[in-house]
Amino acid sequence: MTQTPGALAGLTIIEIAERVSGEYSAKLLADLGAEVIKVERPGGAPTRAMGPFKGGESALFAYLNTNKKSVVLDLDQPEDRATLDRLLSRAHALIDDHDEAWGESHALSQNAVAAAHPALVHTVVTPFGQGAPAEWQKSRPVNVINAGGWAYHSPSETPPDKPPLKGAGRFLSDYEAGIDAAMCTMASLLRLRRTGEGQFIDVSEVEVQLNRIDCVLDRMLAGDVDPSNERTAYDMGGPGTSFACADGHVFLFMTTRQHWKSLCELMGNPAWAQDFREDWLEFDCTAPNVSQFRKNFEGWIALQQKLPITEAAQKSGVAMVPVNTAADLPRHEQFIHREFFQKAEHPAFGEVAYPGACYRMSATPVQVRTPAPALGADQEETRNAAS
């Protein structure tokens, strides 16, 4: 693939982050073309030791650190701390995700960085934001996802006797916060270009989660529903849920008379459907009816293949979709059409299909130019540039 300079080419970002939130934020900037220099502790970033592994290498680290450079600095040592300052003096932004005590002890607090480098965008992503109690500042994703309310309400239709779940993936809260951190950093880089002034960006992962609880929090704030302990705040009503089919699962959503009529036609108008009023979804959607529908529908959908039946359902006006697994995604026709997965060589994994960006830029496409760097791969080059 021909490599085109990215939209952020010419910008230099220093990343001292050691958690997924900060590393993902810097990855987004690196994939957009910025020069991101990853500062790692002796022995390497903690994410290098997080699975899953292949060939002794972390797949998580490989994903989070495409297009970056690596330099090893022991920031507890004055000489290496001085090297970091020299790097910052020629950089445009600094990405961090350590707690405040760590920043203070390494002269990397908001005030210290602003005094030493006033023309620097300084972004820090922490679980509860600056000023949080010390005992909260070393929280993990499981803490954040619960503090933000997501674990209690998702996945939808959690039985009341089951415990809250963390949600999708180990690091959902980190990825969400990383997106917001990258967006704020880019906005501040534009301001830097216009004014020559840097600024401090304080990102709270929990507040990012609260921002995402739109259909729950907004409905309560608008007065549509009363605040409660119900576990169904994300539910849209009706008998829809996930159902097992012959080769996986489908998700069905039904709330209108037309949904019901179309589904009956799709099923060949089975005799059991005659037990329901035509408008039952709108005026007779009781718990017994929902239970009866699901019991009958489960027998029919269990015999269907998920892709053919969901395609037929959508063409007939039924909101039924396949529940894709990770293995399904690289074979998805639309992802193939959009070239979402980018193939690139990794020294340990061989040819890898990397998940790409969710947007396409005509003049400056996002590209995986280099795999995640080996520890200290750019040590000499970076130190020479900082001298």
Side-chain angles (χ1 to χ4, degrees):
M1 179 185 295
T2 302
Q3 293 191 357
T4 304
L8 300 184
L11 295 175
T12 298
I13 315 292
I14 306 301
E15 178 210 306
I16 57 174
E18 294 194 309
R19 297 187 297 112
V20 171
S21 53
E23 286 185 279
Y24 185 61
S25 176
K27 167 196 164 58
L28 295 174
L29 302 174
D31 289 352
L32 285 167
E35 178 191 39
V36 173
I37 300 173
K38 181 179 186 64
V39 174
E40 301 191 63
R41 65 172 72 182
T47 48
R48 287 187 182 271
M50 295 183 185
F53 298 97
K54 182 176 181 180
E57 299 287 336
S58 165
L60 176 67
F61 184 88
Y63 171 67
L64 290 171
N65 294 284
T66 53
N67 297 327
K68 297 181 185 179
K69 296 179 177 180
S70 171
V71 59
V72 177
L73 295 178
D74 184 350
L75 298 184
D76 291 321
Q77 300 300 318
E79 181 181 349
D80 281 2
R81 181 61 187 79
T83 299
L84 176 63
D85 262 329
R86 290 194 293 272
L87 288 173
L88 293 176
S89 68
R90 70 178 187 86
H92 300 91
L94 170 66
I95 306 293
D96 190 10
D97 59 11
H98 289 92
D99 60 73
E100 287 179 78
W102 186 92
E104 291 284 353
S105 66
H106 292 84
L108 288 165
S109 65
Q110 173 183 354
N111 292 334
V113 172
H117 307 283
L120 187 74
V121 174
H122 181 194
T123 301
V124 179
V125 191
T126 55
F128 288 87
Q130 302 296 295
E135 64 269 22
W136 291 12
Q137 295 203 22
K138 292 186 182 296
S139 299
R140 297 295 182 259
V142 67
N143 306 108
V144 173
I145 207 77
N146 278 278
W150 275 51
Y152 191 75
H153 289 293
S154 60
S156 179
E157 300 185 12
T158 303
D161 60 331
K162 297 294 184 182
L165 299 177
K166 192 170 65 172
R170 290 184 293 171
F171 302 112
L172 173 63
S173 58
D174 292 85
Y175 288 123
E176 294 285 346
I179 293 170
D180 281 20
M183 178 181 66
C184 293
T185 301
M186 286 191 288
S188 298
L189 287 168
L190 178 60
R191 175 179 178 270
L192 174 66
R193 173 169 291 184
R194 290 174 171 172
T195 68
E197 299 175 355
Q199 69 172 316
F200 181 72
I201 301 171
D202 169 12
V203 180
S204 162
E205 295 170 18
V206 169
E207 290 172 21
V208 171
Q209 294 300 295
L210 291 173
N211 263 285
R212 303 298 198 263
I213 309 181
D214 52 356
C215 73
V216 175
L217 198 59
D218 290 355
R219 285 161 62 196
M220 293 177 181
L221 292 173
D224 292 342
V225 295
D226 294 326
S228 72
N229 291 328
E230 292 294 323
R231 297 287 289 279
T232 57
Y234 274 114
D235 297 351
M236 301 301 291
T241 187
S242 297
F243 295 92
C245 61
D247 59 344
H249 291 80
V250 301
F251 187 91
L252 174 69
F253 174 71
M254 288 201 309
T255 57
T256 70
R257 178 186 313 207
Q258 188 56 49
H259 285 159
W260 174 241
K261 289 177 63 177
S262 297
L263 180 65
C264 288
E265 292 175 8
L266 183 68
M267 294 187 296
N269 295 306
W272 61 263
Q274 304 305 312
D275 295 337
F276 295 84
R277 290 168 39 177
E278 189 176 272
D279 61 358
W280 77 277
L281 291 170
E282 299 166 3
F283 303 107
D284 197 24
C285 193
T286 63
N289 279 344
V290 167
S291 178
Q292 182 183 350
F293 165 79
R294 289 177 175 172
K295 181 179 179 180
N296 286 292
F297 182 72
E298 284 171 356
W300 178 80
I301 195 64
L303 304 176
Q304 312 300 319
Q305 301 286 322
K306 69 178 181 181
L307 292 182
I309 196 59
T310 52
E311 182 176 344
Q314 292 170 35
K315 288 180 178 178
S316 64
V318 178
M320 188 193 303
V321 295
V323 178
N324 287 324
T325 67
D328 293 327
L329 300 180
R331 300 192 295 264
H332 194 286
E333 290 184 6
Q334 184 65 9
F335 295 150
I336 293 172
H337 169 69
R338 287 179 58 82
E339 299 179 339
F340 173 75
F341 290 95
Q342 294 189 18
K343 292 184 178 180
E345 288 291 328
H346 186 278
F349 304 157
E351 187 177 73
V352 175
Y354 287 92
C358 55
Y359 42 82
R360 302 186 72 178
M361 303 168 72
S362 62
T364 55
V366 174
Q367 297 174 312
V368 178
R369 299 181 300 279
T370 59
L375 180 61
D378 306 281
Q379 194 83 1
E380 184 175 352
E381 172 194 344
T382 303
R383 284 186 176 275
N384 289 341
S387 61

